[in-house]
Amino acid sequence: MSALMEPVFAIPAERDQPSYPRSFVVFSKASGRESGQATAVHYFVQEAPGGEWKAAVETWVATAAAVPLDTENVGKFAGLSVQLRKTAVGAVGRDAAGAAALSPTADADRAVCGRFADSMSFTTPDEPESEQFAPGPLTDEMVRELGERAKAPKLKGLVTYAFAHEVTGPQLPVLKLDNGTSLVACPLLRTEKVRGKDAMVTFTFAEGTDSSALLDAKGKKWRSSDAELSLTALIELPPAGTPGPAQVASCNCLEAQLLEVTGKRAD
């Protein structure tokens, strides 16, 4: 995508969305950040004829720009710690009338969301690897970083984390980009379970975290906790018939949005 000064609307032709729900996508910049690579991506969905258009997913992606991506500022800019691949995604493909091109293999393309969910689901200390995704900060390195949470000095390997992911939310459009790749949005729900390895092990929540605030956990010890979190991955698939792994373009996997948390106190 070229540098974006104004929002870019990716609205599919009506013939490509003959039934409901219908969707479109908007790529936009924040004021003062027009020349940077970090670009907001919003997916809007209309469930029924005449219904309201509602924002279903908000995430970020790197697009081409004069100023390189500053990964240290992405979290502040996005309002969430969304990790972005530095390589920009391509521009949205267009038909002769200017409508956004959709992937003709959208259903098959969306299956990558389930494969990504599986690749991110594990119980420490195991750290699975997947040849279906290109290695790097948004795949195998992200799994290792999640696994490191159970190896913190205070925990000394006495606590295990179990990460389970499943695909959730509405079915979103799969955009065909001008380089032949497909851009798939994957809304995911994470269930995160923390357990002491035996009945005597306890742990505490770091002050200032959302989990600590929701549980009023300051100064208290816990034996287990269960949390549900929301996250979104944008995945770029190679052109049909082209071998090679999928590329994760962005994900807030390390700072997913907490929805709910419960826990078992030690006293």
Side-chain angles (χ1 to χ4, degrees):
M1 292 182 182
S2 60
L4 302 176
M5 300 302 292
E6 298 291 339
V8 170
F9 291 83
I11 304 175
E14 194 170 313
R15 67 175 181 275
D16 292 332
Q17 294 189 118
S19 58
Y20 289 83
R22 290 177 173 174
S23 305
F24 69 92
V25 187
V26 181
F27 298 83
S28 62
K29 297 284 190 179
S31 176
R33 296 280 186 167
E34 291 87 353
S35 62
Q37 279 188 289
T39 300
V41 188
H42 290 85
Y43 286 73
F44 291 87
V45 174
Q46 185 187 42
E47 294 290 347
E52 294 182 351
W53 286 93
K54 297 181 179 181
V57 165
E58 175 189 23
T59 187
W60 298 81
V61 73
T63 55
V67 180
L69 178 68
D70 183 351
T71 54
E72 293 182 356
N73 291 332
V74 168
K76 294 179 182 178
F77 172 39
L80 293 171
S81 293
V82 180
Q83 288 188 277
L84 310 183
R85 186 188 68 189
K86 291 186 177 182
T87 305
V89 299
V92 176
R94 305 281 179 174
D95 65 15
L102 297 181
S103 169
T105 56
D107 288 340
D109 293 344
R110 290 190 192 98
V112 75
C113 297
R115 296 195 295 272
F116 183 70
D118 289 343
S119 74
M120 294 290 292
S121 299
F122 65 99
T123 299
T124 59
D126 294 333
E127 294 173 0
E129 296 183 0
S130 176
E131 296 181 354
Q132 300 183 67
F133 297 94
L138 302 180
T139 51
D140 59 314
E141 292 179 24
M142 189 173 293
V143 167
R144 282 196 292 273
E145 189 159 344
L146 285 173
E148 286 297 319
R149 294 181 180 181
K151 301 175 185 178
K154 290 183 179 180
L155 301 179
K156 298 179 181 179
L158 298 177
V159 172
T160 61
Y161 283 75
F163 301 94
H165 296 79
E166 60 180 297
V167 182
T168 187
Q171 201 170 67
L172 299 172
V174 178
L175 298 175
K176 178 64 73 174
L177 305 183
D178 63 355
N179 57 6
T181 65
S182 297
L183 189 65
V184 185
C186 299
L188 303 171
L189 178 69
R190 172 188 294 162
T191 302
E192 185 174 317
K193 297 180 181 292
V194 185
R195 299 286 187 273
K197 287 192 173 181
D198 61 54
M200 300 303 294
V201 174
T202 63
F203 58 90
T204 59
F205 288 91
E207 291 187 27
T209 62
D210 291 341
S211 292
S212 179
L214 287 176
L215 289 172
D216 187 23
K218 184 177 180 180
K220 299 171 184 175
K221 295 183 178 181
W222 303 82
R223 297 200 187 280
S224 65
S225 70
D226 297 82
E228 289 190 349
L229 306 97
S230 173
L231 59 149
T232 300
L234 279 184
I235 299 176
E236 191 173 8
L237 292 174
T242 302
Q247 297 266 353
V248 180
S250 70
C251 187
N252 62 321
C253 297
L254 296 180
E255 296 293 339
Q257 182 178 359
L258 181 65
L259 302 175
E260 182 181 14
V261 61
T262 59
K264 182 179 180 180
R265 291 269 303 276
D267 50 1

CSV table of all heavy atoms in Angstrom, one decimal, residues 105-141:
chain,number,residue,atom,x,y,z
A,105,THR,N,-11.2,-17.9,-2.9
A,105,THR,CA,-11.1,-19.1,-2.1
A,105,THR,C,-11.2,-18.7,-0.6
A,105,THR,O,-10.4,-19.2,0.2
A,105,THR,CB,-9.7,-19.8,-2.3
A,105,THR,OG1,-8.7,-18.9,-2.1
A,105,THR,CG2,-9.7,-20.3,-3.8
A,106,ALA,N,-12.1,-17.8,-0.3
A,106,ALA,CA,-12.2,-17.2,1.1
A,106,ALA,C,-12.4,-18.3,2.1
A,106,ALA,O,-11.7,-18.2,3.2
A,106,ALA,CB,-13.3,-16.1,1.1
A,107,ASP,N,-13.3,-19.2,1.9
A,107,ASP,CA,-13.6,-20.2,2.9
A,107,ASP,C,-12.3,-21.0,3.2
A,107,ASP,O,-12.0,-21.3,4.4
A,107,ASP,CB,-14.7,-21.1,2.5
A,107,ASP,CG,-16.0,-20.4,2.5
A,107,ASP,OD1,-16.2,-19.4,3.2
A,107,ASP,OD2,-17.0,-20.9,1.8
A,108,ALA,N,-11.6,-21.4,2.2
A,108,ALA,CA,-10.4,-22.2,2.4
A,108,ALA,C,-9.3,-21.3,3.1
A,108,ALA,O,-8.5,-21.8,3.9
A,108,ALA,CB,-9.8,-22.7,1.1
A,109,ASP,N,-9.2,-20.0,2.7
A,109,ASP,CA,-8.3,-19.1,3.3
A,109,ASP,C,-8.5,-19.0,4.8
A,109,ASP,O,-7.5,-18.9,5.6
A,109,ASP,CB,-8.3,-17.7,2.6
A,109,ASP,CG,-7.9,-17.8,1.2
A,109,ASP,OD1,-7.3,-18.7,0.7
A,109,ASP,OD2,-8.2,-16.8,0.4
A,110,ARG,N,-9.8,-18.9,5.2
A,110,ARG,CA,-10.1,-18.6,6.6
A,110,ARG,C,-9.6,-19.8,7.5
A,110,ARG,O,-9.5,-19.6,8.7
A,110,ARG,CB,-11.6,-18.4,6.8
A,110,ARG,CG,-12.1,-17.0,6.2
A,110,ARG,CD,-13.5,-16.8,6.7
A,110,ARG,NE,-14.0,-15.6,5.9
A,110,ARG,CZ,-14.8,-15.8,4.9
A,110,ARG,NH1,-15.2,-17.0,4.4
A,110,ARG,NH2,-15.3,-14.7,4.2
A,111,ALA,N,-9.4,-20.9,6.9
A,111,ALA,CA,-8.9,-22.1,7.7
A,111,ALA,C,-7.6,-21.8,8.3
A,111,ALA,O,-7.2,-22.5,9.3
A,111,ALA,CB,-8.9,-23.3,6.8
A,112,VAL,N,-6.9,-20.8,7.8
A,112,VAL,CA,-5.6,-20.5,8.4
A,112,VAL,C,-5.7,-20.0,9.8
A,112,VAL,O,-4.8,-20.2,10.7
A,112,VAL,CB,-4.8,-19.5,7.5
A,112,VAL,CG1,-5.4,-18.1,7.7
A,112,VAL,CG2,-3.3,-19.5,7.9
A,113,CYS,N,-6.9,-19.5,10.1
A,113,CYS,CA,-7.2,-19.0,11.5
A,113,CYS,C,-7.1,-20.1,12.5
A,113,CYS,O,-6.5,-20.0,13.6
A,113,CYS,CB,-8.5,-18.2,11.6
A,113,CYS,SG,-8.6,-16.8,10.5
A,114,GLY,N,-7.7,-21.2,12.2
A,114,GLY,CA,-7.7,-22.4,13.0
A,114,GLY,C,-6.3,-22.9,13.2
A,114,GLY,O,-5.9,-23.4,14.3
A,115,ARG,N,-5.6,-22.9,12.1
A,115,ARG,CA,-4.2,-23.4,12.2
A,115,ARG,C,-3.3,-22.5,13.1
A,115,ARG,O,-2.5,-23.0,13.8
A,115,ARG,CB,-3.6,-23.6,10.8
A,115,ARG,CG,-4.3,-24.6,9.9
A,115,ARG,CD,-3.5,-24.9,8.7
A,115,ARG,NE,-3.3,-23.8,7.8
A,115,ARG,CZ,-4.1,-23.5,6.8
A,115,ARG,NH1,-5.3,-24.2,6.6
A,115,ARG,NH2,-3.9,-22.5,6.0
A,116,PHE,N,-3.6,-21.2,13.0
A,116,PHE,CA,-2.8,-20.3,13.8
A,116,PHE,C,-3.2,-20.5,15.3
A,116,PHE,O,-2.4,-20.5,16.2
A,116,PHE,CB,-3.1,-18.9,13.4
A,116,PHE,CG,-2.3,-17.8,14.2
A,116,PHE,CD1,-0.9,-17.8,14.0
A,116,PHE,CD2,-2.9,-17.0,15.1
A,116,PHE,CE1,-0.2,-16.8,14.8
A,116,PHE,CE2,-2.2,-16.1,15.8
A,116,PHE,CZ,-0.8,-16.0,15.6
A,117,ALA,N,-4.5,-20.7,15.5
A,117,ALA,CA,-5.0,-20.9,16.9
A,117,ALA,C,-4.3,-22.2,17.5
A,117,ALA,O,-3.9,-22.2,18.6
A,117,ALA,CB,-6.5,-21.1,16.9
A,118,ASP,N,-4.2,-23.2,16.7
A,118,ASP,CA,-3.5,-24.4,17.1
A,118,ASP,C,-2.1,-24.2,17.4
A,118,ASP,O,-1.5,-24.7,18.4
A,118,ASP,CB,-3.7,-25.5,16.1
A,118,ASP,CG,-5.1,-26.1,16.0
A,118,ASP,OD1,-5.9,-25.8,16.9
A,118,ASP,OD2,-5.4,-26.7,14.9
A,119,SER,N,-1.4,-23.4,16.6
A,119,SER,CA,0.0,-23.2,16.8
A,119,SER,C,0.3,-22.4,18.0
A,119,SER,O,1.4,-22.4,18.6
A,119,SER,CB,0.6,-22.4,15.5
A,119,SER,OG,0.2,-21.1,15.5
A,120,MET,N,-0.7,-21.6,18.5
A,120,MET,CA,-0.5,-20.8,19.7
A,120,MET,C,-1.0,-21.5,21.0
A,120,MET,O,-1.0,-20.9,22.0
A,120,MET,CB,-1.2,-19.4,19.5
A,120,MET,CG,-0.6,-18.6,18.4
A,120,MET,SD,1.0,-17.9,18.9
A,120,MET,CE,0.4,-16.8,20.2
A,121,SER,N,-1.6,-22.7,20.8
A,121,SER,CA,-2.1,-23.4,22.0
A,121,SER,C,-1.1,-24.4,22.5
A,121,SER,O,-0.7,-25.3,21.8
A,121,SER,CB,-3.4,-24.1,21.6
A,121,SER,OG,-4.4,-23.1,21.1
A,122,PHE,N,-0.8,-24.3,23.8
A,122,PHE,CA,0.2,-25.2,24.4
A,122,PHE,C,0.2,-25.0,25.9
A,122,PHE,O,-0.4,-24.0,26.4
A,122,PHE,CB,1.6,-24.9,23.9
A,122,PHE,CG,2.2,-23.5,24.2
A,122,PHE,CD1,3.0,-23.4,25.3
A,122,PHE,CD2,1.8,-22.4,23.5
A,122,PHE,CE1,3.6,-22.2,25.6
A,122,PHE,CE2,2.3,-21.1,23.8
A,122,PHE,CZ,3.2,-21.0,24.9
A,123,THR,N,0.8,-25.9,26.6
A,123,THR,CA,1.0,-25.9,28.0
A,123,THR,C,2.5,-25.8,28.3
A,123,THR,O,3.2,-26.7,27.8
A,123,THR,CB,0.3,-27.1,28.8
A,123,THR,OG1,-1.1,-27.1,28.5
A,123,THR,CG2,0.5,-27.0,30.2
A,124,THR,N,2.9,-24.9,29.1
A,124,THR,CA,4.3,-24.8,29.4
A,124,THR,C,4.7,-26.0,30.2
A,124,THR,O,3.9,-26.6,31.0
A,124,THR,CB,4.6,-23.5,30.2
A,124,THR,OG1,3.9,-23.5,31.4
A,124,THR,CG2,4.3,-22.3,29.4
A,125,PRO,N,6.0,-26.5,30.0
A,125,PRO,CA,7.1,-25.9,29.3
A,125,PRO,C,7.1,-26.2,27.8
A,125,PRO,O,8.1,-25.8,27.1
A,125,PRO,CB,8.3,-26.4,30.0
A,125,PRO,CG,7.9,-27.8,30.4
A,125,PRO,CD,6.4,-27.7,30.8
A,126,ASP,N,6.2,-27.0,27.3
A,126,ASP,CA,6.2,-27.3,25.9
A,126,ASP,C,6.0,-26.0,25.1
A,126,ASP,O,5.3,-25.1,25.4
A,126,ASP,CB,5.1,-28.2,25.5
A,126,ASP,CG,5.2,-29.6,26.2
A,126,ASP,OD1,6.4,-30.0,26.4
A,126,ASP,OD2,4.2,-30.3,26.4
A,127,GLU,N,6.7,-25.9,23.9
A,127,GLU,CA,6.6,-24.7,23.1
A,127,GLU,C,6.5,-25.3,21.6
A,127,GLU,O,7.6,-25.5,21.0
A,127,GLU,CB,7.8,-23.8,23.2
A,127,GLU,CG,7.8,-23.1,24.6
A,127,GLU,CD,9.1,-22.3,24.9
A,127,GLU,OE1,9.9,-22.3,24.0
A,127,GLU,OE2,9.2,-21.7,26.0
A,128,PRO,N,5.3,-25.4,21.1
A,128,PRO,CA,5.2,-26.0,19.8
A,128,PRO,C,5.7,-25.2,18.6
A,128,PRO,O,5.8,-23.9,18.8
A,128,PRO,CB,3.7,-26.2,19.6
A,128,PRO,CG,3.1,-25.1,20.5
A,128,PRO,CD,4.1,-24.9,21.6
A,129,GLU,N,6.1,-25.8,17.6
A,129,GLU,CA,6.6,-25.1,16.4
A,129,GLU,C,5.7,-25.5,15.2
A,129,GLU,O,5.1,-26.6,15.2
A,129,GLU,CB,8.0,-25.5,16.0
A,129,GLU,CG,9.0,-25.0,17.1
A,129,GLU,CD,10.5,-25.4,16.7
A,129,GLU,OE1,10.6,-25.9,15.6
A,129,GLU,OE2,11.4,-25.1,17.5
A,130,SER,N,5.5,-24.6,14.3
A,130,SER,CA,4.6,-24.9,13.1
A,130,SER,C,5.3,-24.5,11.8
A,130,SER,O,5.8,-23.3,11.7
A,130,SER,CB,3.3,-24.1,13.3
A,130,SER,OG,2.5,-24.3,12.1
A,131,GLU,N,5.5,-25.4,10.9
A,131,GLU,CA,6.1,-25.2,9.6
A,131,GLU,C,5.1,-24.4,8.7
A,131,GLU,O,5.5,-24.0,7.6
A,131,GLU,CB,6.5,-26.5,9.0
A,131,GLU,CG,7.6,-27.2,9.8
A,131,GLU,CD,8.1,-28.4,9.1
A,131,GLU,OE1,7.5,-28.8,8.1
A,131,GLU,OE2,9.1,-29.0,9.6
A,132,GLN,N,3.8,-24.3,9.1
A,132,GLN,CA,2.8,-23.6,8.3
A,132,GLN,C,3.0,-22.1,8.3
A,132,GLN,O,2.3,-21.4,7.5
A,132,GLN,CB,1.4,-24.0,8.7
A,132,GLN,CG,1.2,-25.5,8.6
A,132,GLN,CD,-0.2,-25.9,8.9
A,132,GLN,OE1,-1.2,-25.6,8.2
A,132,GLN,NE2,-0.4,-26.6,10.0
A,133,PHE,N,3.7,-21.6,9.3
A,133,PHE,CA,3.9,-20.1,9.5
A,133,PHE,C,5.4,-19.8,9.4
A,133,PHE,O,6.2,-20.4,10.0
A,133,PHE,CB,3.3,-19.6,10.8
A,133,PHE,CG,1.8,-19.9,10.8
A,133,PHE,CD1,1.3,-21.0,11.4
A,133,PHE,CD2,0.9,-19.0,10.3
A,133,PHE,CE1,-0.1,-21.3,11.4
A,133,PHE,CE2,-0.5,-19.2,10.3
A,133,PHE,CZ,-1.0,-20.4,10.9
A,134,ALA,N,5.7,-18.7,8.7
A,134,ALA,CA,7.1,-18.2,8.6
A,134,ALA,C,7.6,-17.9,10.0
A,134,ALA,O,6.9,-17.2,10.8
A,134,ALA,CB,7.2,-17.0,7.7
A,135,PRO,N,8.8,-18.4,10.4
A,135,PRO,CA,9.3,-18.1,11.7
A,135,PRO,C,9.6,-16.6,11.9
A,135,PRO,O,9.9,-15.9,10.9
A,135,PRO,CB,10.6,-18.9,11.7
A,135,PRO,CG,11.0,-19.1,10.3
A,135,PRO,CD,9.7,-19.1,9.5
A,136,GLY,N,9.6,-16.1,13.1
A,136,GLY,CA,9.9,-14.7,13.4
A,136,GLY,C,9.2,-14.2,14.7
A,136,GLY,O,8.6,-15.0,15.4
A,137,PRO,N,9.2,-12.9,14.9
A,137,PRO,CA,8.7,-12.3,16.1
A,137,PRO,C,7.2,-12.6,16.3
A,137,PRO,O,6.7,-12.5,17.5
A,137,PRO,CB,8.9,-10.8,15.9
A,137,PRO,CG,10.0,-10.8,14.9
A,137,PRO,CD,9.8,-11.9,14.0
A,138,LEU,N,6.4,-12.9,15.3
A,138,LEU,CA,5.0,-13.0,15.4
A,138,LEU,C,4.5,-14.5,15.4
A,138,LEU,O,3.3,-14.7,15.5
A,138,LEU,CB,4.2,-12.3,14.3
A,138,LEU,CG,4.5,-10.8,14.2
A,138,LEU,CD1,3.8,-10.1,13.0
A,138,LEU,CD2,4.2,-10.1,15.5
A,139,THR,N,5.5,-15.4,15.4
A,139,THR,CA,5.1,-16.8,15.4
A,139,THR,C,5.9,-17.6,16.4
A,139,THR,O,5.5,-17.5,17.6
A,139,THR,CB,5.3,-17.4,14.0
A,139,THR,OG1,6.6,-17.1,13.5
A,139,THR,CG2,4.3,-16.8,13.0
A,140,ASP,N,6.9,-18.3,16.1
A,140,ASP,CA,7.7,-19.1,17.0
A,140,ASP,C,8.3,-18.3,18.2
A,140,ASP,O,8.3,-18.7,19.3
A,140,ASP,CB,8.7,-19.9,16.3
A,140,ASP,CG,9.8,-19.0,15.6
A,140,ASP,OD1,9.3,-18.1,14.9
A,140,ASP,OD2,11.0,-19.3,15.7
A,141,GLU,N,8.7,-17.0,17.9
A,141,GLU,CA,9.3,-16.2,18.9
A,141,GLU,C,8.2,-15.7,19.9
A,141,GLU,O,8.5,-15.6,21.1
A,141,GLU,CB,10.0,-15.0,18.3
A,141,GLU,CG,11.3,-15.4,17.6
A,141,GLU,CD,12.0,-14.2,16.9
A,141,GLU,OE1,11.8,-13.1,17.5
A,141,GLU,OE2,12.7,-14.4,15.9
